[in-house]
Amino acid sequence: MRRRLIGSTAVIALAAVVVLGIPLALVEAARIREDAAARLEREADSVAGVVEDRLEARRPISRALLSPLVRPGHRIIVDPPTGHPLAVGSAFTGPVLRVHAGSSHAGAIAAEAPRSELDHRIHRMWLLIAALSAGGVLTAVALAALQARGLGRPLDAVAQRAAQLGDGDFSVRAGHFGIPEIDAIAQGLDSSAGRIAELVAREREFSANVSHQLRTPLTALRLSLEEAASAHDHETASDELDVALSEADRLETTIAALLAHARQATLGERIAVNLGSVVAEHAASWRPAFARAGRRLEVKAAANVITQASRGTVGQVLDVLLDNALRHGAGTARALAWVDGRSAFVAVTDEGPGIGDADADRIFERGASRTGGTGIGLHLARALAQADGGALRLIPDRATRFELRMPRHAPEPPRRADARARAASSGER
């Protein structure tokens, strides 16, 4: 786009130069010729006046008399009615521009100048117009480059935000650029990101709920079947129970595969994410909003706080927490990132009034809000964190403190174990 805009502007400027510059040069060349002829005619007329005065006084005409009237490089030829012709001035060869005097009483008087003098003036005029035209084209190209740069940056930013949205980072916002058409695209992208984030969160929450609701009865069924199989009342019953156990294993495996497939479709591939860099980047984007509110946002993050997460999950949760601190908190807000054992932590604190133990869990429920908000943000943030293997909680304190815990390493694939171990794992979930 930038090359096309610059190229089209250069072509338009060049066309304008050709349409306007060439006629201007031709008109100016004609004016120079007329000016040169007028000068020679004035020289011839001035000499004719002197010659007429000398002839009326019956006095001789000499070169010494006429030489001061001739311009350097020019020549005057006088052919009086009586006497011999007289030439005064420079002698030159080649094409000559000749103009006769208007008076006829003094005979034939002509002024001459080399045509190269006229051609030189015309060439200088052409060079001047060409230089001005080239300057105009270069100026137009420079202005087009600036305009292309001004248009290209917002489009590049929108394209980058769209790519991040495609990677699963629903926290990105295109922003505003002061160009109505691009701002309309950015606003549509922002609204789409919000809607997609909510839909994905609902889908993740549904997957987690289905998994939990199905695993529990299946585990209970398996325990019952194992106890029945261990009784050995009848050999046939034992075989049937073994078949039932196999079917239960198959059903549980199917549910686990479906859940893994659903999570993979919504989360994307998990990668190593540096929580310190994420906290610093998102805090930098939120700091102007806190400054406009007359508040400070401080960052204290360790250098390498690495976790395994899908793209954008931590950023989305962090944006929700920072927005909550800006809207409902007070005083200085702080974004923290650190490592403790096998877990990585991100926390957002502010100096607003704390939330009591009774509301520590209720604050994450859909629609729960103490200040008249929608009550969706924190619920969505917790759902995103849980879907990515993390946990978001509120630390009851005198000040408000939200804490996100993420595993430092990618979770290992589930191993086949005995039924009671799987039952304990399912109960913990």
Side-chain angles (χ1 to χ4, degrees), residues 332-354:
T332 300
R334 295 176 177 84
L336 315 173
W338 73 97
V339 174
D340 186 7
R342 295 182 61 84
S343 299
F345 293 87
V346 172
V348 174
T349 68
D350 62 75
E351 298 174 354

Side-chain angles (χ1 to χ4, degrees), residues 221-244:
L221 173 62
R222 181 176 178 83
L223 290 175
S224 299
L225 292 175
E226 285 182 346
E227 291 180 0
S230 63
H232 298 291
D233 293 338
H234 301 88
E235 184 176 353
T236 303
S238 178
D239 293 339
E240 292 296 332
L241 290 175
D242 288 340
V243 173

Side-chain angles (χ1 to χ4, degrees), residues 170-399:
F170 305 123
S171 66
V172 297
R173 293 295 181 269
H176 298 278
F177 306 96
I179 303 174
E181 294 79 5
I182 299 180
D183 285 345
I185 298 174
Q187 184 177 2
L189 184 64
D190 291 346
S191 60
S192 298
R195 289 194 298 267
I196 293 173
E198 186 173 357
L199 291 174
V200 169
R202 290 180 180 178
E203 192 275 338
R204 292 174 180 175
E205 185 178 9
F206 170 78
S207 300
N209 291 337
V210 168
S211 172
H212 179 74
Q213 294 297 329
L214 290 180
R215 282 180 183 271
T216 300
L218 285 175
T219 301
L221 173 62
R222 181 176 178 83
L223 290 175
S224 299
L225 292 175
E226 285 182 346
E227 291 180 0
S230 63
H232 298 291
D233 293 338
H234 301 88
E235 184 176 353
T236 303
S238 178
D239 293 339
E240 292 296 332
L241 290 175
D242 288 340
V243 173
L245 287 173
S246 299
E247 290 296 323
D249 282 339
R250 185 179 65 83
L251 183 57
E252 186 176 5
T253 302
T254 301
I255 293 173
L258 289 174
L259 177 61
H261 177 74
R263 284 184 175 177
Q264 183 178 6
T266 55
L267 293 177
E269 182 182 2
R270 290 189 176 185
I271 60 173
V273 177
N274 189 339
L275 297 185
S277 299
V278 173
V279 169
E281 178 182 353
H282 284 258
S285 64
W286 279 92
R287 190 168 283 117
F290 277 86
R292 287 193 295 269
R295 297 173 57 191
R296 295 175 54 193
L297 175 59
E298 298 178 353
V299 176
K300 185 177 181 181
N304 293 313
V305 184
I306 308 300
T307 185
Q308 292 288 335
S310 59
R311 295 178 182 269
T313 296
V314 177
Q316 294 172 62
V317 175
L318 185 58
D319 281 341
V320 171
L321 298 181
L322 290 173
D323 181 69
N324 184 76
L326 177 61
R327 292 175 179 270
H328 310 300
T332 300
R334 295 176 177 84
L336 315 173
W338 73 97
V339 174
D340 186 7
R342 295 182 61 84
S343 299
F345 293 87
V346 172
V348 174
T349 68
D350 62 75
E351 298 174 354
I355 300 176
D357 295 343
D359 295 331
D361 287 329
R362 193 183 67 83
I363 196 68
F364 293 99
E365 296 176 1
R366 181 181 295 274
S369 177
R370 302 190 308 167
T371 58
T374 61
I376 296 178
L378 292 176
H379 174 79
L380 176 62
R382 171 172 273 191
L384 291 174
Q386 291 176 346
D388 221 3
L392 178 63
R393 62 173 182 167
L394 172 67
I395 307 298
D397 199 351
R398 288 177 298 177

Side-chain angles (χ1 to χ4, degrees), residues 68-143:
L69 303 177
V70 182
R71 296 184 61 187
H74 291 191
R75 181 170 58 188
I76 296 294
I77 299 176
V78 179
D79 187 8
T82 58
H84 299 285
L86 180 65
V88 181
S90 302
F92 43 81
T93 59
V96 174
L97 179 63
R98 176 179 296 175
V99 176
H100 292 274
S103 175
S104 59
H105 301 290
I109 299 176
E112 296 181 345
R115 185 171 290 275
S116 59
E117 178 182 347
L118 175 63
D119 294 338
H120 180 67
R121 292 181 61 189
I122 293 176
H123 290 164
R124 284 192 305 175
M125 179 270 302
W126 276 98
L127 289 177
L128 177 61
I129 293 179
L132 293 176
S133 300
V137 173
L138 292 177
T139 302
V141 170
L143 293 176

